[in-house]
Amino acid sequence: HPKECMTASLVIADNLRMDPAEAAAQRMAWLGTSGSGKSYGCGRYVEQLHPANIPVLILDTVGIWAALRLAADGKKPGLPFVIVGGEHADVPLDLLRGAELARFLITQNASAVMDISDYDPQERAPFVADLCTALLIEMKVKAIRRPRVVVFDEAQDVVPQIPGKGEARMCKSVSALIRKGRNHLCGTVILSQRPADVSKSA
């Protein structure tokens, strides 16, 4: 693993600790009912990846992940994530530039929240498809291979078991990233309160 990714063990649970680079390359799922702590638990996981210099990309369908920029007290600075789109955006989200955004984030080893919560499923599906397809392509470049993590909040909205109108390509590209990302040191995390509605191929 790259030396810059080595740090103290990452705490997954009270009785489970992992090397951060090893943890980052895994496929994980945080499943539970609404309010059960999925986003909080995954947020703590993401916070522990940052000191190990492991980039994290979060696809936010809910509009809550900008909170990573604040510390627990709600006042001090939190993690230096770029917020793309949404109420707290550093830069606006351009639905026509998903592939370009992916290339930039990978080459810069940036951590970012892509807030797509303002758009309905049919509007955002092409953006998600372009983004995930380009992420997988860019991560294959040996010069920029490094551990990283992609988080899909409310995964049933981006990789549904039964795709809605215009969602088939999105579902295929997200599934491919989840299934193949680990081959390129990229781990994925899905969060869902409706796991039965998440694509089984993912």
Side-chain angles (χ1 to χ4, degrees):
H1 304 304
K3 288 183 179 179
E4 66 267 25
C5 293
M6 302 300 285
T7 186
S9 63
L10 186 149
V11 180
I12 304 294
D14 290 343
N15 60 349
L16 178 60
R17 295 170 183 265
M18 298 178 71
D19 168 75
E22 181 184 354
Q26 303 302 313
R27 292 183 292 259
M28 298 186 182
W30 298 71
L31 310 174
T33 58
S34 178
S36 61
K38 298 182 301 297
S39 296
Y40 175 79
C42 186
R44 294 288 296 127
Y45 170 63
V46 169
E47 287 172 354
Q48 293 179 79
L49 291 171
H50 178 69
N53 291 317
I54 295 174
V56 180
L57 306 177
I58 300 172
L59 201 60
D60 184 2
T61 62
V62 186
I64 61 171
W65 284 90
L68 285 171
R69 289 269 291 270
L70 291 174
D73 63 7
K75 297 177 181 178
K76 295 181 183 137
L79 301 181
F81 273 59
V82 176
I83 310 298
V84 182
E87 182 181 354
H88 304 285
D90 297 310
V91 292
L93 179 69
D94 186 340
L95 292 178
L96 299 177
R97 301 178 79 176
E100 187 176 338
L101 177 60
R103 288 190 288 270
F104 174 80
L105 293 172
I106 293 295
T107 55
Q108 297 299 312
N109 288 315
S111 289
V113 173
M114 289 149 288
D115 187 337
I116 58 174
S117 62
D118 289 340
Y119 302 95
D120 68 39
Q122 288 184 24
E123 282 184 300
R124 65 197 187 196
F127 168 81
V128 175
D130 292 345
L131 179 85
C132 291
T133 298
L135 285 175
L136 194 54
I137 292 170
E138 291 299 312
M139 288 186 296
K140 293 178 182 178
V141 179
K142 290 185 179 180
I144 55 177
R145 277 172 60 89
R146 64 175 296 148
R148 68 183 73 246
V149 173
V150 179
V151 176
F152 299 97
D153 199 357
E154 295 300 337
Q156 71 279 350
D157 292 337
V158 293
V159 62
Q161 173 64 14
I162 303 174
K165 183 179 179 181
E167 293 181 335
R169 189 169 71 92
M170 172 182 71
C171 191
K172 183 177 179 180
S173 64
V174 175
S175 291
L177 180 58
I178 292 172
R179 287 184 287 106
K180 299 176 183 179
R182 192 167 183 266
N183 297 331
H184 310 291
L185 306 181
C186 177
T188 48
V189 181
I190 63 172
L191 291 83
S192 180
Q193 59 182 305
R194 304 200 317 267
D197 294 336
V198 177
S199 169
K200 301 307 176 285
S201 67

